[in-house]
Amino acid sequence: MKHTEERPYADPEAATRKLVELAAIVAAVQDGRIYIERINAPFLFKLKGSGSEFGAGLKHAIEGGWLQMHESGTYVRLLGPGGLLTQ
């Protein structure tokens, strides 16, 4: 008997896929910047992910080369195999 529900984003790779998907549909502003709250809010409130799942997915996406985070932590850039993706 299970007392808890399965968390769909408990696996960092699943969270990473969803974060990159969210970043791809957000309209980027100057220089491909995507404000972190534009992917954070849908992940946390619409998809019901947790803060730790968001953090683990974001870290995995940065280490995997899919996202680049600014040193201030206020925005990310979506990267592709050859660098910055252009939309």
Side-chain angles (χ1 to χ4, degrees):
M1 173 177 0
K2 286 190 173 184
H3 295 286
T4 60
E5 295 179 23
E6 291 291 323
R7 304 276 314 165
Y9 304 113
D11 177 24
E13 290 183 14
T16 297
R17 280 192 296 276
K18 186 50 80 172
L19 290 175
V20 170
E21 180 182 315
L22 289 171
I25 62 173
V26 169
V29 293
Q30 175 185 4
D31 289 334
R33 297 176 184 180
I34 300 168
Y35 293 112
I36 198 74
E37 63 266 16
R38 299 292 304 233
I39 58 174
N40 186 335
F43 187 85
L44 295 177
F45 301 112
K46 185 177 178 186
L47 300 173
K48 305 294 185 200
S50 71
S52 59
E53 292 167 346
F54 177 81
L58 188 61
K59 181 180 177 185
H60 191 262
I62 293 167
E63 290 173 353
W66 295 294
L67 293 176
Q68 175 189 34
M69 180 176 270
H70 187 262
E71 62 189 27
S72 67
T74 58
Y75 66 86
V76 294
R77 287 191 176 111
L78 186 60
L79 302 176
L84 188 63
L85 285 179
T86 55
Q87 295 184 1

